Amino acid sequence: MDFQLSDDQRALRSGMRDLLGAVFDRDRLRAAVEREGALDRSLWRELGAAGFFALRLPEEAGGVGLGLPEAVLLFEEAGRALLPGPLVATHLSAGLVKGAAEGEAVVTAVAADLPVAHLAEADAVLVVDGRASGLPGEAEGAEVLSGAAWGAEVLSGEAEGAEVLSGAAWGAEVLSGAAWGAEVLSGAALRAFVAAARPVRSMDPLTPLHRAPADAKPAPAAPERTRADAERAPEAAERAPAHAGRFRFEAALLTAAEQLGSAARTTEAAVQHAGDREQFGSAIGSFQAVKHLCADMLARTEPARAAVYAAAVTGDPVEIAAAKLLADEAAVRNARDCLQIHGGMGFTWEADVHLHLKRAWLRAASWLTGAGAEELLAAGLGTAGRLPRSSAAYGRPVREAGGGG
């Protein structure tokens, strides 16, 4: 299979790198660190204007009309630049949440019991599979926030004066979110959720985190069913297995793409420093130990790149799991080796290496952890029952699949 990028794909990647170099250079990166990760709304809107969030929406819906492979290229560049914010959730909510595609809305996500990134600044929260702390409903794609949950109408009719989930999204009717595997929390319901959450210390200075207490569970409200709901229920039942969990796996793949970009950037930084830094009258890159470290970094990055690109083409959950596993390892270990090559300077706050390492640690715990990926791979090899190679595989639950921005 040929994974060489087309001319259009290379131009897309180059354009995004140029854009991020112009709007999010090192000075703005450091400014974001000083703001403790607070989002720059003007930057968010610039990304929206460039089509970052609407990349996969159909052109007739105001999007760019491209696919998952192109989205992976953009997220790879975002990972290189250490772009902060809930990029994955906002990108995946384009067409679901008003303003997300244009960068006017910041959307984060919560799943399992993992902390929520950038919750205080979010205009909406995607609740994935109904497994968030403090939310009612069944796991794995059940109705979570229909009706008057959290004291507000969220998913039916109008929420805070804006239609949230009506019409077509991703080329199909949302079906109250069950088919897509995520529900939207906004308006008064979002404010109640934020009030119940508490900030937790984040290892990444660019990613503020919150956790909702487990005892903040409101009583679930029974959703009202209309005749239209009853008429389309059989269609929903047919569609849901093919799409349940799709959000979770695509989020894992885009997170892996960010890890890939970070791994590539730390490799480049290590090689550059090894060529510039001199000891004993020679560049440290001429020393065998440093050469091996740099070679190991490249040897981790390129297999991860092949795995991420392949998973973007196939969309297969098992291949996504392999890609996430390889990309996590490349991002974390490359950042550690880059720090070692930088020596004492690499341990200082002024160096950017620690930012890549901390972000890589955080991403590795998001959406699909190493343990969850290994379980999927084992099942794909037949040790725990073979997974179907189709979109229906998205419906298979994975205990360690988590959430994040």
Side-chain angles (χ1 to χ4, degrees):
M1 185 176 293
D2 184 9
F3 286 110
Q4 294 296 320
L5 301 183
S6 67
D7 292 340
D8 289 342
Q9 288 172 329
R10 283 193 290 268
L12 178 69
R13 183 175 64 180
S14 176
M16 180 53 61
R17 187 173 300 186
D18 292 343
L19 173 65
L20 293 179
V23 303
F24 195 71
D25 57 12
R26 189 177 186 276
D27 290 339
R28 292 190 75 167
L29 170 65
R30 282 295 170 168
V33 173
E34 294 299 322
R35 296 194 306 269
E36 298 182 344
L39 291 181
D40 183 345
R41 289 280 182 156
S42 63
L43 173 60
W44 210 251
R45 286 190 289 270
E46 286 186 77
L47 291 174
F52 187 93
F53 302 119
L55 185 79
R56 293 195 292 149
L57 280 182
E59 293 184 35
E60 56 270 22
V64 183
L66 297 178
L68 194 56
E70 287 76 22
V72 159
L73 296 178
L74 295 193
F75 275 84
E76 183 181 348
E77 293 305 313
R80 284 178 58 91
L82 279 176
L83 194 63
L87 299 166
V88 172
T90 304
H91 174 86
L92 291 176
S93 65
L96 292 176
V97 177
K98 184 178 180 180
E102 298 81 12
E104 296 295 334
V106 174
V107 184
T108 188
V110 56
D113 293 319
L114 296 182
V116 193
H118 298 276
L119 178 61
E121 299 171 286
D123 301 302
V125 174
L126 295 179
V127 183
V128 182
D129 293 339
R131 296 183 297 171
S133 295
L135 292 176
E138 297 293 327
E140 297 303 324
E143 282 289 323
V144 180
L145 291 173
S146 300
W150 289 92
E153 191 76 1
V154 178
L155 291 177
S156 58
E158 295 184 352
E160 293 298 303
E163 190 79 30
V164 178
L165 284 176
S166 63
W170 300 95
E173 191 166 345
V174 177
L175 301 175
S176 299
W180 176 229
E183 305 283 0
V184 179
L185 186 64
S186 63
L190 174 61
R191 291 193 291 272
F193 184 81
V194 173
R198 60 180 177 84
V200 294
R201 186 174 182 180
S202 174
M203 67 181 73
D204 178 14
L206 288 164
T207 309
L209 299 174
H210 285 76
R211 186 185 296 278
D215 57 356
K217 295 183 179 180
E224 297 181 5
R225 294 181 59 83
T226 65
R227 179 176 297 179
D229 293 329
E231 290 175 351
R232 69 185 182 184
E235 184 181 0
E238 293 177 2
R239 229 182 258 174
H243 293 275
R246 171 181 163 189
F247 184 100
R248 193 173 62 233
F249 284 105
E250 289 193 359
L253 178 61
L254 295 178
T255 303
E258 290 183 287
Q259 294 282 62
L260 171 62
S262 180
R265 181 68 190 100
T266 52
T267 301
E268 294 170 5
V271 171
Q272 180 179 354
H273 184 77
D276 294 340
R277 177 69 173 171
E278 291 188 0
Q279 287 288 346
F280 309 110
S282 301
I284 63 172
S286 64
F287 304 149
Q288 189 177 39
V290 176
K291 288 181 181 179
H292 279 295
L293 284 176
C294 292
D296 288 343
M297 294 171 74
L298 182 64
R300 294 186 202 106
T301 302
E302 292 311 307
R305 185 187 308 280
V308 170
Y309 288 3
V313 172
T314 65
D316 183 86
V318 175
E319 294 186 13
I320 290 174
K324 181 67 160 56
L325 202 60
L326 289 171
D328 285 344
E329 180 185 18
V332 172
R333 294 187 63 183
N334 282 15
R336 294 175 65 179
D337 286 350
C338 181
L339 190 150
Q340 184 174 352
I341 289 172
H342 276 73
M345 185 179 71
F347 286 87
T348 64
W349 181 261
E350 288 72 20
D352 293 338
V353 184
H354 74 97
L355 297 176
H356 279 279
L357 180 57
K358 292 170 181 176
R359 184 73 65 83
W361 278 333
L362 196 66
R363 291 194 197 108
S366 299
W367 296 114
L368 188 61
T369 65
E374 288 169 356
E375 284 189 9
L376 270 175
L377 289 170
L381 292 173
T383 57
R386 185 171 298 277
L387 288 175
R389 298 283 177 169
S390 70
S391 59
Y394 285 116
R396 189 179 184 90
V398 182
R399 186 181 311 162
E400 282 79 12

